[in-house]
Amino acid sequence: MVAGYSVAGPLRRAVAGFFATFAIVFALIAPAAAAQPPNAPLNSTNGMLRWINEYRNRPDPDSLPAVVRALSAVQAFKDAETCGVYIGFIAGVLGANPARAEALIAKMLAIDPADHWVLVRAIAYSGLPRWKDLLGKFVDRMPMRRAMVEKYLDGELPTLDQIDYAAKKPGMVDKIRVVLQLTDEHAQKPVTMAPSPELIDVLWGFYLATGTYAPVGRIVKLLPLANDKDSVDNLTTGSAAKFTLASNAVRDLALLNMLKWSVKHQPTDVAVVLDDVINTAETVDTVHMRKESIAAIEDLKQKGPNSKRELSGWGQVGQGALSMGCVVAAATGQIELGLPCVLGGAAYSAGMQYISH
C-alpha cells in the first residue's frame, strides 16, 4: 500500500513505524519498463501491485473486477487503515469510466460481503455525477453496509470534495468563549474529511488509476501541515504528504514535471514546502527528509504545541491579559459574545485551566 502509515492520531503505533510500510511504494510508483504486460497473471499480490502500477500507462478497466475479487480473496481489505490505496484506485477507475461504472460495480460485488465497505467508499470517492444513484441502486446487494450507504446518501459522511485542508485554529476570543461556555455545543458543523495519512493513501491510489494532476493537487494542498507545530496529527499528515511526493517523484518523472508546473501556481505557504519536495526529488535526498520529519514529530511530542508554549506566560501577565478578550470582542464587533468588561478571578482561573490542557 502506498505509504500506508499507521501513525494518524498521536502516533498510533510509534514514530519508528512512520515510514515502515512505505517500502511498497517503490513497487507501485515504479518505471513503466518494470511493469508486467497487460496479460500477466494476477494470481499473486506482487502481480496485482505491478498491474496497478502500470494501469495509468495502459488503462484496462475491464480487468478491475477480477483484481478486486483477487484482492478480497487475499484479505487485502481486512485492515481499513492500510488499504486506502486500493480504495482510491477503484474510485479513480470508476470516475474515469462513467459509462462503464455500473457494470464494473456489479461485477465487483462478488467479493466477501464484509469487504463491500470498500466498494461503498470507492463509489462515494469516485467523483461520478451519479455516485449517489449508484449507491442507491446497489444498496440491496450490499445489506451489511446499508447503514454506511445511507450515511453517504444523507451527507453524513464526507467525500474527497470535502477535505478540510487547514482547520481554523482558535484565537483568544474563541478560547474565552469556550472557557465561559458561550459556544453552542449543539450547533451543526459542516461534514468534512480530516487530513490523515490514510487519506494520502487514497489520493495516491487515485493517481495510480488516472495519472492525472487532480489527486496530486489535493496532496499538494496538504503540504503546509508539514510546518504545523501545534498538532501531531497535522504534522504527521503534512510530513507524509511531503515525503511521499518527493519519494514518488524520484521514480516518476511525469509526476516530477507536474510538481514543477504546480509550484508556479501555489500560494507562498504551499510553494515553500513544494520547492523542498522538488529539490529533494531532484537530488534523491529522501533519507534526509525522512529524518527531519521524524525529528520534528518527536520534538512536538516532547515539547508540546507551540500555542501552549506561547501561552505559558499568561500566568505572570495576570488577570488583565484574559480581560483583553473584552477589548478584542469590541474591536471586532463581537459584543454579542456577552463578555463582561471585567473578568473575575473565577473566570481567570477557568481560563488558565483551559490553557493548561
Side-chain angles (χ1 to χ4, degrees):
M1 287 66 68
V2 177
Y5 298 119
S6 56
V7 290
L11 276 71
R12 288 185 191 143
R13 307 290 188 266
V15 175
F18 181 50
F19 298 95
T21 58
F22 187 74
I24 299 179
V25 72
F26 298 112
L28 289 172
I29 308 292
Q36 290 180 290
N39 59 351
L42 298 175
N43 55 3
S44 69
T45 301
N46 187 56
M48 287 183 281
L49 290 177
R50 287 182 176 274
W51 181 85
I52 289 173
N53 172 59
E54 176 60 8
Y55 185 92
R56 65 192 185 280
N57 299 310
R58 300 178 183 177
D60 181 16
D62 291 334
S63 294
L64 177 65
V67 173
V68 171
R69 292 194 296 268
L71 287 169
S72 177
V74 298
Q75 297 188 328
F77 306 139
K78 184 177 181 180
D79 188 346
E81 293 186 4
T82 60
C83 64
V85 65
Y86 298 127
I87 295 171
F89 181 77
I90 298 169
V93 174
L94 293 178
N97 295 275
R100 301 187 192 184
E102 185 173 332
L104 291 174
I105 295 168
K107 293 177 181 178
M108 288 188 286
L109 289 171
I111 59 176
D112 186 339
D115 291 339
H116 280 161
W117 71 273
V118 171
L119 301 184
V120 173
R121 189 157 292 171
I123 295 169
Y125 288 177
S126 68
L128 288 166
R130 296 178 49 250
W131 70 269
K132 286 191 175 183
D133 292 338
L134 289 171
L135 281 181
K137 182 178 181 65
F138 290 107
V139 64
D140 290 336
R141 298 177 63 180
M142 299 185 288
M144 286 184 64
R145 302 305 171 193
R146 179 175 294 276
M148 184 180 183
V149 170
E150 291 176 350
K151 285 183 180 295
Y152 273 116
L153 295 179
D154 292 339
E156 296 178 33
L157 290 176
T159 66
L160 295 181
D161 292 327
Q162 297 168 288
I163 299 173
D164 183 9
Y165 292 101
K168 179 185 176 183
K169 295 182 181 180
M172 184 165 64
V173 172
D174 298 312
K175 290 177 179 291
I176 293 173
R177 288 189 60 152
V178 172
V179 171
L180 301 181
Q181 299 181 346
L182 297 174
T183 57
D184 184 358
E185 297 179 359
H186 304 290
Q188 188 172 4
K189 298 179 180 179
V191 176
T192 59
M193 183 182 297
S196 68
E198 289 80 14
L199 169 61
I200 294 174
D201 283 352
V202 170
L203 295 173
W204 278 121
F206 212 108
Y207 171 74
L208 291 170
T210 64
T212 60
Y213 176 74
V216 174
R218 284 173 164 149
I219 298 174
V220 167
K221 290 177 70 173
L222 296 171
L223 287 177
L225 297 179
N227 292 324
D228 192 317
K229 304 304 181 184
D230 286 318
S231 167
V232 172
D233 285 350
N234 285 347
L235 179 58
T236 300
T237 300
S239 297
K242 185 177 176 181
F243 183 72
T244 56
L245 282 169
S247 296
N248 290 340
V250 167
R251 303 172 66 82
D252 186 337
L253 296 184
L255 173 61
L256 180 58
N257 288 333
M258 283 184 190
L259 299 182
K260 289 181 177 180
W261 167 84
S262 175
V263 73
K264 303 173 185 177
H265 309 282
Q266 299 299 331
T268 302
D269 61 336
V270 176
V272 169
V273 187
L274 187 51
D275 274 331
D276 189 21
V277 167
I278 294 170
N279 180 65
T280 298
E282 291 184 323
T283 59
V284 195
D285 193 17
T286 53
V287 173
H288 179 70
M289 178 178 284
R290 176 178 60 83
K291 290 180 178 179
E292 280 189 345
S293 297
I294 292 177
I297 294 170
E298 281 292 346
D299 184 67
L300 178 54
K301 286 178 62 183
Q302 293 175 7
K303 297 181 180 179
N306 265 2
S307 59
K308 202 168 186 178
R309 286 178 247 169
E310 291 166 0
L311 291 171
S312 63
W314 279 33
Q316 287 85 35
V317 173
Q319 184 171 321
L322 193 56
S323 298
M324 280 298 293
C326 181
V327 178
V328 173
T332 57
Q334 299 186 60
I335 298 300
E336 72 276 8
L337 296 181
L339 292 171
C341 289
V342 178
L343 297 179
Y348 171 71
S349 298
M352 291 308 300
Q353 183 177 10
Y354 170 74
I355 292 165
S356 66
H357 284 79

